[in-house]
Amino acid sequence: MNIDTVMHHLDIFNNYGYDEETGGINRIAFRHAERLAALKFSMLCQEAGLEVHFDYFGNVIARRKGKDNSLPPVMLGSHIDTVKDGGRYDGLLGVVAALQVVQHLNEHQIETDHPIEIVAFTCEESSRFNKSTLGSKYLIGDLTTDDMKKLTDDRGKTLFHLVDTLKQSMPSDSDIYHKGDLKAYLELHIEQGPILQNKHKDIGIVTHIAAPHRYKLKLIGETSHSGSTPMPMRKDALTAASEIALKVESIAQAHHQEGIVATVGYIQPFPNMMNAIPGEVKMLVDVRGKESESREKVASEIEKAIEAITERREIKAELEDLGADTPVNLNPEIADITEDVCEGLGYSYRFMFSGAGHDAMNMALICPTSMIFIPCKDGISHSPKESVEVSEIEKGVNTLIGTTIELAKKDINI
Ligand SMILES: [Zn+2]
């Protein structure tokens, strides 16, 4: 494995969308820099002797033949887009690492039984359309052109308009992967959390991907003068919101052993001025867990708490359920293979779940899927401060290579 090539490729791709002032990377889905990066990826794949194509949505998929091309491929990859002012590794690492797997196989003239496909997904981040993992959703047939017409960015452009203008190909059923089309999907990603660093582990073997249940809450009290309204006569929506935020925190804290996290990440008071009691607040609540059952228990506990707090404070609450995604179990057999690979290489590892969503959670709906995490400094991601050591990347790519070679063997059944 050539770590210099990996680092060089990371540098090349991070020239697309680099902001000199912030030091952040801006490869926002379907903007110029992100599409150039996708094109560059396709060229590097071609140089590596792969058959490469863009699907209608703009995902890049490249194939290395196996000994038996009637067998379903093992797919590796991640996403090439970033958030605004994102980091250098989120998504990109898994794409560059997938390419390195193929280059390693080429260099060592390793023929695999199953073909290998590598993919650079687009539009994984929700920054532009408030919905994440759209590229992989398209790939598995979970995003139709009608769905694309309903999603708009903050400039009013529909996703459909962007995708259809690019016309990388016609929308086609051959773009869509169904159950049985892939032997497995494997994604290397930075952890985006602090656990591996704190526990001094080289590799995280991901067993579950947590999923959110989200709420929009509108609290309606009474706006009045901050000077002339006595304390007992107030209906302050912001203090109610504050109490709710604290309660959300303490409920989640009590369940953190079950892998629960909950956050009030957005709060907007009205009229939001010095001399008025806030009569209205909008807030967003995000509850996540690795299992539906425990998460739903917590979610209903939070719903009850909101009811109790607003009733006591005589605040009207309009709670809108924004929906719950299903947490995903990843494939335990692949996890065992990765464990063996780590032991063979002398890397420390731990089994863990992912708090963040990934393309892998869509892929898991159609094929056995696994994820490999490497640590990132202080768990910081979605920031120009995102940082990973070269030695950590090297271990991650080696683990990906080892797992892929095993998975691509005909006699390994998962
Ligand atoms: Zn990512």
Side-chain angles (χ1 to χ4, degrees):
M1 197 273 282
N2 193 330
I3 187 65
D4 292 339
T5 306
V6 172
M7 298 316 291
H8 178 58
H9 283 160
L10 288 169
D11 286 343
I12 288 177
F13 284 108
N14 282 324
N15 282 326
Y16 300 113
Y18 175 67
D19 184 323
E20 271 179 31
E21 265 170 45
T22 63
I25 308 292
N26 291 276
R27 281 193 306 276
I28 309 296
F30 300 112
R31 292 210 199 284
H32 197 58
E34 192 259 357
R35 284 297 84 196
L36 279 177
L39 188 62
K40 180 71 188 177
F41 177 69
S42 74
M43 288 156 65
L44 289 170
C45 288
Q46 229 156 24
E47 276 172 38
L50 308 181
E51 279 168 37
V52 53
H53 75 281
F54 283 76
D55 68 14
Y56 171 71
F57 194 72
N59 299 310
V60 189
I61 300 142
R63 182 180 169 103
R64 183 181 191 266
K65 289 198 174 86
K67 277 186 209 158
D68 182 350
N69 290 301
S70 66
L71 294 175
V74 172
M75 185 182 262
L76 318 172
S78 193
H79 60 99
I80 204 152
D81 64 312
T82 68
V83 296
K84 188 175 178 298
D85 274 326
R88 300 173 65 82
Y89 307 97
D90 174 9
L92 181 63
L93 174 70
V95 173
V96 165
L99 179 61
Q100 180 57 214
V101 172
V102 166
Q103 288 176 322
H104 174 89
L105 296 175
N106 288 350
E107 202 177 310
H108 296 268
Q109 293 166 349
I110 299 171
E111 253 195 298
T112 54
D113 295 331
H114 289 256
I116 309 278
E117 289 193 359
I118 65 177
V119 59
F121 287 117
T122 183
C123 213
E124 189 272 348
E125 302 291 356
S126 56
S127 335
R128 188 158 185 187
F129 293 98
N130 290 320
K131 231 176 148 63
S132 62
T133 65
L134 290 171
S136 47
K137 276 198 171 75
Y138 175 79
L139 194 90
I140 65 158
D142 195 18
L143 183 76
T144 63
T145 47
D146 280 343
D147 297 331
M148 293 180 211
K149 285 174 187 166
K150 286 178 205 140
L151 293 170
T152 50
D153 71 4
D154 57 5
R155 297 179 197 173
K157 274 200 178 141
T158 68
L159 176 59
F160 176 75
H161 172 82
L162 292 172
V163 168
D164 206 56
T165 305
L166 286 168
K167 274 272 192 310
Q168 320 204 57
S169 63
M170 296 304 281
S172 129
D173 194 50
S174 68
D175 283 355
I176 306 304
Y177 284 68
H178 302 94
K179 273 189 182 153
D181 287 347
L182 291 174
K183 182 175 186 189
Y185 174 78
L186 195 53
E187 179 166 354
L188 174 71
H189 205 281
I190 57 168
E191 183 199 338
Q192 303 181 288
I195 296 170
L196 291 173
Q197 180 183 291
N198 286 351
K199 306 276 179 192
H200 304 288
K201 299 292 182 200
D202 299 322
I203 298 292
I205 304 172
V206 183
T207 55
H208 302 76
I209 301 178
H213 188 162
R214 289 171 165 155
Y215 297 94
K216 190 191 234 173
L217 176 61
K218 189 173 171 187
L219 301 175
I220 305 159
E222 220 164 67
T223 304
S224 59
H225 197 288
S226 67
S228 48
T229 318
M231 296 312 286
M233 297 177 74
R234 294 177 176 217
K235 287 183 183 163
D236 186 330
L238 183 58
T239 49
S242 313
E243 196 180 334
I244 289 167
L246 290 171
K247 192 69 188 170
V248 166
E249 183 190 45
S250 69
I251 292 172
Q253 227 146 28
H255 291 274
H256 96 272
Q257 299 283 18
E258 298 144 56
I260 300 289
V261 291
T263 312
V264 175
Y266 173 94
I267 207 159
Q268 179 68 58
F270 298 94
N272 204 15
M273 52 202 260
M274 166 77 92
N275 57 357
I277 297 163
E280 202 179 296
V281 169
K282 282 187 183 143
M283 59 201 287
L284 296 173
V285 187
D286 172 304
V287 188
R288 297 182 193 225
K290 60 176 178 166
E291 282 143 13
S292 287
E293 202 186 314
S294 54
R295 183 198 62 193
E296 286 315 293
K297 234 180 72 196
V298 169
S300 71
E301 221 178 293
I302 288 173
E303 286 178 33
K304 278 185 202 122
I306 291 171
E307 211 182 295
I309 291 167
T310 49
E311 236 177 67
R312 171 164 44 77
R313 288 177 168 268
E314 293 178 44
I315 299 281
K316 195 172 155 225
E318 289 171 8
L319 185 65
E320 188 188 334
D321 194 326
L322 297 178
D325 289 337
T326 315
V328 173
N329 298 335
L330 298 184
N331 183 277
E333 282 86 14
I334 306 178
D336 287 346
I337 293 174
T338 305
E339 182 181 25
D340 289 345
V341 169
C342 287
E343 287 193 347
L345 292 165
Y347 298 161
S348 59
Y349 59 89
R350 82 182 255 130
F351 291 94
M352 62 191 296
F353 72 93
S354 170
H358 293 286
D359 290 308
M361 69 194 181
N362 294 325
M363 300 310 290
L365 299 175
I366 61 150
C367 68
T369 293
S370 192
M371 283 194 87
I372 299 166
F373 276 175
I374 60 166
C376 57
K377 190 165 186 289
D378 301 326
I380 294 171
S381 182
H382 286 185
S383 153
K385 285 191 199 142
E386 197 178 271
S387 166
V388 184
E389 298 291 326
V390 178
S391 62
E392 294 169 333
I393 292 176
E394 193 170 6
K395 287 172 186 166
V397 178
N398 278 331
T399 307
L400 183 70
I401 289 173
T403 308
T404 304
I405 289 175
E406 274 305 295
L407 274 177
K409 287 180 182 164
K410 208 169 162 175
D411 51 4
I412 296 285
N413 291 313
I414 42 166

